Each structure stands twice: as C-alpha cells, then as structure tokens.
Amino acid sequence: MYDVDDLYQDVVLDHSRRPRNFKRIEDADRTREGFNPLCGDRVTLFMTFDGDVISDVSFEGSGCAISKASASMMTESVKGKSRAEAESIFNSFRAMITREEGADVDREELGDLEILEGVSAYPTRIKCATLSWHAMHSALVEEEKTVSTER
Ligand code: ZN
C-alpha cells in the first residue's frame, strides 16, 4: 500500500539531511561498525553508559537517506534509556520492519519510529533501516558480557 515516496516523508528527509547525534564520541565505552554491502551504507556507532543507562549515543558514517534517518532516529530513541529499554525498542523496531510473524510490537514504545514502517514493504531497504540498530544491539550485548566478566 506504500508508494516509494512514502519512504521519504518529511521526517525521514529531515533526519537524513540533518542527522541528530551525528558525531564521534572520543571516549565512548563501546564502538561498533556496521556495513550493508547491498546498499553501501556504513555506520560507526558510539555509546557511553552511566551505570545501566545509555548516557550518550552517536554515529558517523555514510549511506542512503533511509540508513541515515534510521540511525538518527535510533540515537534519539535510545538516549537516556536503560539497556533493557533499548533492547525492547530494538526488538519492537526489528519486528515492525521485518513484519515478524506473531511478534509483539509495542507501538507506544516506538513513537516516531513508526514512520519507518513503510520500509517493510521494500525488502532491499530493510537492511538500510536496521544497520545502525544491529550495531546498537551488538554494543549492548557486548557491554553485558564485559560487565559480567569484570565483576
Ligand atoms: Zn541504504
């Protein structure tokens, strides 16, 4: 039901042209790189924790409008959240984008991210939208591992 133009709504265009949290964090606790060979999108994710809370998150990279907008919106949605909350948003976002069968998608939790739902109609674009999210998820999981071995 989506027209290709729906993928590039004002909010998506705004985030891709003026990405939020688009910077390097020099003393980040976690750094993750992601690459989507299908489209050529590259992202480097930076994440800083204050206890269990994501105190800062940012990204750098280059790629298509969808990958940039999704990364920008991702940083806004998980900043200040606990790791469990960020994981929950990740799961809902992934389920929405991939139209995961029987998945529990928390619409309230997703908020503005729902705008990206149109991407689910374009399988080749799904990896663009999820690239930064997988990097974020990887950073969260690794952090937990590190914490458990250090304590
Ligand atoms: Zn892309």
Side-chain angles (χ1 to χ4, degrees):
M1 300 305 280
Y2 286 95
D3 187 271
V4 140
D5 291 339
D6 290 340
L7 287 176
Y8 301 100
Q9 292 183 33
D10 290 348
V11 175
V12 173
L13 285 173
D14 182 54
H15 275 273
S16 69
R17 286 171 183 158
R18 298 187 305 114
R20 320 300 197 268
N21 304 302
F22 191 74
K23 60 177 184 185
R24 170 176 294 268
I25 301 174
E26 293 298 343
D27 57 349
D29 292 323
R30 286 284 172 270
T31 303
R32 281 291 176 284
E33 288 186 10
F35 177 52
N36 171 21
L38 285 177
C39 181
D41 308 314
R42 288 182 188 278
V43 66
T44 305
L45 181 89
F46 305 93
M47 197 177 269
T48 304
F49 295 94
D50 180 5
D52 188 48
V53 172
I54 299 168
S55 54
D56 203 3
V57 55
S58 70
F59 75 104
E60 282 189 329
S62 58
C64 65
I66 294 291
S67 71
K68 263 194 182 166
S70 186
S72 173
M73 293 173 81
M74 179 275 290
T75 60
E76 285 203 315
S77 68
V78 304
K79 197 169 180 173
K81 298 286 198 300
S82 71
R83 271 185 281 177
E85 286 168 339
E87 271 294 276
S88 179
I89 296 170
F90 166 75
N91 286 328
S92 282
F93 182 77
R94 188 184 53 183
M96 174 186 79
I97 290 282
T98 63
R99 296 182 175 178
E100 198 176 311
E101 196 102 10
D104 192 17
V105 177
D106 188 334
R107 301 271 163 189
E108 205 170 312
E109 180 178 69
L110 287 172
D112 279 356
L113 293 166
E114 260 196 300
I115 290 163
L116 290 168
E117 186 168 19
V119 174
S120 66
Y122 300 89
T124 56
R125 286 290 184 202
I126 290 172
K127 288 206 160 91
C128 301
T130 56
L131 177 66
S132 59
W133 288 82
H134 283 291
M136 186 275 286
H137 171 69
S138 167
L140 287 177
V141 171
E142 180 66 21
E143 173 71 6
E144 279 168 6
K145 269 191 216 155
T146 306
V147 166
S148 67
T149 52
E150 281 176 355
R151 285 182 184 172

